[in-house]
Amino acid sequence: MDLETLTVTSGEWLRGTGPDSDIVVSSRIRLARNLAQFPFPPQADDGTRMEIEQVLRRRVESLSCTGRLGYISVDSLDQLDRQFLVERQLISREHAETHGPRGVGIGSEENVSLMINEEDHLRIQVLRSGYSLDECWNDINRIDDALEEHVTYAFSEEFGYLTSCPTNCGTGIRASVMLHLPALVLTKEIQKVFQALQKISLAVRGLYGEGSQAMGDFYQISNQVTLGQSEDQIISKLKEVVPNIIAYERRVRKALVKENRQRLHDQVSRAFGILQSAQTITSEETMHLLSSVRMGINLGLVEGIEIPTVNELFIHTQPAHLQKLRHEMLESAERNVARAAYLRQRLARQEPHEN
Amino acid sequence: MRKCRRCTKPATLHITEIRDGEVQALHLCESCAQDYLSNVDVGETVDEEDVAFGTQADEDVDEVFEGADDLKCENCGITFKQFRSQGRLGCPNDYIVFRERLLPLLESIHGETQHVGKCPQHTPDASRKQYELIRLRNDLRSAVESESYEDAARLRDEIQALENQLGIESGEE
Ligand SMILES: [Zn+2]
Ligand SMILES: [Zn+2]
């Protein structure tokens, strides 16, 4: 698989469609699996890890239910390419940073990734645009079944699928949705969401930038419990909660527009303006402004830009992506200049023609 | 199970910070998270190592496990103490060897200790025997609890025999 072609494309899950995609950016499910006959990766030496990689790579490459998967040996990538795959959400940060033989199988649409020798022998991930947990589960369940025909998973009737960390054993499932909740953040209503989620033991991960709480407009909500509940029960629990949060965010957005349309319109227009004209810009500020613009599009306050473009810019303005696009290593200050240039180019204003 | 980065409560909020490409995870309990969200410290560094199992703020659990730390899996060589410090088990067999000590941990993480989800369609013979072992041990426990000593003696023999078959060193006693 060629990383250079990935640079200029973008994953299917960024296309910004799918159910409730004004608020749900993406849905994701991952399964943790291990082979019965090997120690878990953190405890395996390089020779053993290589054996594990060989066994699983063969299985991953002969999967037929996914379409053709490209395989990348993560161990042989340089730092920048690993970071690139992390930004792309195709491998975890842990997978980028650990050592020894390991790799990832990636579907051509970037909807599927199978990490080998992460914390577990195998981490299967399915990612989709919008709110589509059931589709994710159907896909991943099929992949899991297909793999299991040829390998023996570590499994016990008592503890289910056995994983390196006891927080994952049982189903080994982590189901999550990435929500864009700018209005709840703006009005500080988000605290109530945290409290409610905590009571039913769902985890919230925010995406934060340095020095400003307003960056945290994206939240990933996922199950914490993996043992003692079936996959269906775990997914159902998310499905009970997520629509309420979506409705809550929509309600608050509507109220904001009603009570303060002018101020909101001003805020998102300025955000768009800065993105179109800045000469140097940090990734934090970019994320913050893109978040405003994204909400503005959904509320009909911004024109001339579409959700898929915004989603893509979130990914393509991150450090490794910028450097891959420019084919050069850049210092932080240089990246800020390159980022601004890239944004200006992608968001070029239709200037009135001069006479 | 992660502890809050700032106090001893379990972490429920997992914040991923991005600082111009450097990604860091921060694990906080609800009250510390609210505090964090209302005044984000600029430049605070998070040392991920500090929040591994057992390195800090695990005193309660330490007391429970006192004296049991040198229990070792013959398969991968990991001791329970090592597991406690790195937070990762060494191999699937550890779930058998450390079972008694994992149960309270699993209970606190998941609230349950019995799997009810999907099962592999193809279960190899050796694993079947291991499930049998697990079941026998469960039966033994309830036999002892209900003071059915005849049953208990029989179960003990069966477990012994199965352990020998599987080449497992008894993890108990
Ligand atoms: Zn705390
Ligand atoms: Zn072991």
Side-chain angles (χ1 to χ4, degrees):
Chain A
M1 174 161 234
D2 181 14
L3 279 185
E4 300 310 314
T5 50
L6 276 184
T7 314
V8 290
T9 62
S10 64
E12 186 276 344
W13 60 274
L14 284 171
R15 74 193 148 93
T17 56
D20 302 307
S21 55
D22 53 331
I23 288 159
V24 187
V25 179
S26 59
S27 304
R28 169 176 18 198
I29 295 185
R30 75 114 164 97
L31 292 176
R33 296 289 186 256
N34 288 280
L35 302 175
Q37 73 272 34
F38 293 108
F40 297 133
Q43 192 71 5
D45 59 27
D46 275 5
T48 311
R49 290 170 67 104
M50 201 178 296
E51 257 186 88
I52 297 165
E53 190 188 13
Q54 276 166 5
V55 170
L56 285 175
R57 176 176 180 166
R58 207 162 43 234
R59 298 275 60 99
V60 166
E61 285 183 326
S62 59
L63 269 178
S64 57
C65 59
T66 52
R68 183 117 184 86
L69 292 170
Y71 190 83
I72 296 172
S73 159
V74 175
D75 198 26
S76 63
L77 295 181
D78 64 28
Q79 201 56 44
L80 184 63
D81 284 341
R82 289 178 202 175
Q83 180 60 34
F84 173 80
L85 290 174
V86 173
E87 289 175 5
R88 206 61 172 229
Q89 305 206 25
L90 292 170
I91 67 172
S92 64
R93 185 167 53 91
E94 291 75 11
H95 204 46
E97 287 171 1
T98 53
H99 300 278
R102 63 197 190 284
V104 60
I106 297 171
S108 56
E109 300 280 281
E110 296 178 47
N111 275 351
V112 179
S113 93
L114 293 101
M115 280 181 273
I116 295 173
N117 281 336
E118 204 237 29
E119 182 182 296
D120 293 299
H121 294 150
L122 190 61
R123 287 275 175 98
I124 314 168
Q125 172 185 285
V126 168
L127 194 61
R128 273 173 174 260
S129 178
Y131 184 40
S132 347
L133 285 171
D134 288 330
E135 291 78 1
C136 285
W137 170 246
N138 289 340
D139 288 352
I140 207 165
N141 194 27
R142 206 173 325 123
I143 296 171
D144 186 43
D145 286 347
L147 286 165
E148 197 240 311
E149 281 180 27
H150 304 278
V151 299
T152 305
Y153 285 150
F155 181 84
S156 103
E157 279 180 352
E158 185 177 29
F159 301 130
Y161 293 92
L162 304 178
T163 52
S164 172
C165 185
T167 52
N168 295 316
C169 77
T171 55
I173 198 175
R174 193 79 60 204
S176 57
V177 285
M178 177 75 79
L179 301 175
H180 183 217
L181 306 172
L184 290 177
V185 173
L186 201 65
T187 55
K188 300 205 169 29
E189 295 288 302
I190 195 78
Q191 303 290 353
K192 290 181 196 162
V193 176
F194 289 162
Q195 283 159 15
L197 290 173
Q198 197 211 1
K199 287 202 184 79
I200 51 173
S201 72
L202 290 174
V204 189
R205 283 164 202 270
L207 202 59
Y208 279 86
E210 188 175 15
S212 164
Q213 78 183 98
M215 305 282 179
D217 293 348
F218 290 89
Y219 293 91
Q220 186 170 295
I221 294 172
S222 56
N223 65 299
Q224 275 187 309
V225 168
T226 56
L227 180 64
Q229 292 177 22
S230 70
E231 293 81 358
D232 268 354
Q233 287 174 305
I234 287 166
I235 292 169
S236 296
K237 193 168 172 184
L238 272 173
K239 282 164 59 183
E240 273 167 35
V241 170
V242 170
N244 294 331
I245 303 175
I246 294 173
Y248 196 1
E249 168 72 19
R250 285 208 185 112
R251 211 158 54 232
V252 175
R253 284 186 190 185
K254 218 174 268 171
L256 280 174
V257 173
K258 200 172 155 203
E259 289 156 22
N260 234 329
R261 186 184 176 91
Q262 198 169 38
R263 223 192 102 215
L264 205 62
H265 196 176
D266 181 63
Q267 186 200 312
V268 299
S269 303
R270 280 168 188 267
F272 195 28
I274 293 170
L275 289 168
Q276 285 178 312
S277 57
Q279 298 297 310
T280 170
I281 191 166
T282 63
S283 57
E284 289 80 15
E285 189 179 6
T286 305
M287 215 183 275
H288 178 48
L289 297 172
L290 283 172
S291 171
S292 270
V293 170
R294 196 180 191 282
M295 174 170 68
I297 297 170
N298 286 319
L299 292 176
L301 300 173
V302 184
E303 281 179 8
I305 180 170
E306 307 289 331
I307 291 285
T309 309
V310 178
N311 287 355
E312 195 177 290
L313 288 175
F314 272 113
I315 303 294
H316 283 190
T317 56
Q318 291 182 60
H321 270 76
L322 273 181
Q323 294 174 76
K324 294 285 288 178
L325 285 167
R326 296 282 294 249
H327 302 288
E328 58 181 335
M329 300 292 282
L330 301 170
E331 296 297 322
S332 174
E334 298 171 317
R335 286 203 296 273
N336 293 343
V337 172
R339 184 177 295 112
Y342 180 70
L343 284 164
R344 287 199 309 274
Q345 176 221 319
R346 290 291 303 271
L347 301 174
R349 235 190 278 251
Q350 267 89 55
E351 297 288 353
H353 288 292
E354 284 182 40
N355 295 324
Chain B
M1 180 200 64
R2 286 193 182 273
K3 295 280 178 186
C4 174
R5 164 79 183 149
R6 297 192 176 167
C7 70
T8 60
K9 283 183 253 170
T12 53
L13 190 82
H14 310 278
I15 294 171
T16 309
E17 287 210 326
I18 298 180
R19 294 181 178 165
D20 207 27
E22 290 294 307
V23 185
Q24 290 183 320
L26 185 56
H27 309 275
L28 298 170
C29 72
E30 193 202 355
S31 51
C32 293
Q34 291 197 2
D35 181 50
Y36 173 85
L37 293 173
S38 52
N39 49 99
V40 177
D41 297 346
V42 179
E44 186 201 24
T45 55
V46 181
D47 184 0
E48 190 63 14
E49 300 304 312
D50 283 0
V51 282
F53 274 96
T55 48
Q56 67 170 35
D58 269 36
E59 289 84 3
D60 300 354
V61 193
D62 278 338
E63 277 168 33
V64 176
F65 294 126
E66 206 178 353
D69 279 359
D70 54 351
L71 189 63
K72 186 175 175 179
C73 169
E74 294 300 330
N75 183 349
C76 69
I78 202 176
T79 62
F80 193 70
K81 185 180 183 168
Q82 270 174 285
F83 159 65
R84 301 254 313 127
S85 71
Q86 72 199 30
R88 302 287 178 273
L89 292 161
C91 79
N93 187 47
D94 299 2
Y95 281 89
I96 298 169
V97 181
F98 303 145
R99 181 178 177 277
E100 297 304 320
R101 281 157 198 93
L102 285 174
L103 281 171
L105 194 64
L106 290 167
E107 168 93 44
S108 81
I109 298 168
H110 302 285
E112 301 281 345
T113 59
Q114 175 60 52
H115 176 58
V116 294
K118 183 177 179 179
C119 298
Q121 291 143 20
H122 314 274
T123 309
D125 210 37
S127 322
R128 283 203 190 285
K129 282 181 182 152
Q130 287 181 344
Y131 311 150
E132 202 181 328
L133 201 54
I134 291 161
R135 200 175 50 248
L136 286 172
R137 286 192 181 129
N138 272 337
D139 292 350
L140 174 60
R141 235 177 357 160
S142 45
V144 171
E145 270 164 22
S146 63
E147 304 187 356
S148 322
Y149 295 113
E150 237 170 87
D151 287 346
R154 180 180 49 80
L155 286 163
R156 218 168 254 134
D157 290 346
E158 282 182 40
I159 289 170
Q160 186 69 57
L162 199 52
E163 278 181 345
N164 290 343
Q165 252 186 57
L166 287 165
I168 300 170
E169 299 235 343
S170 177
E172 316 301 314
E173 270 102 19

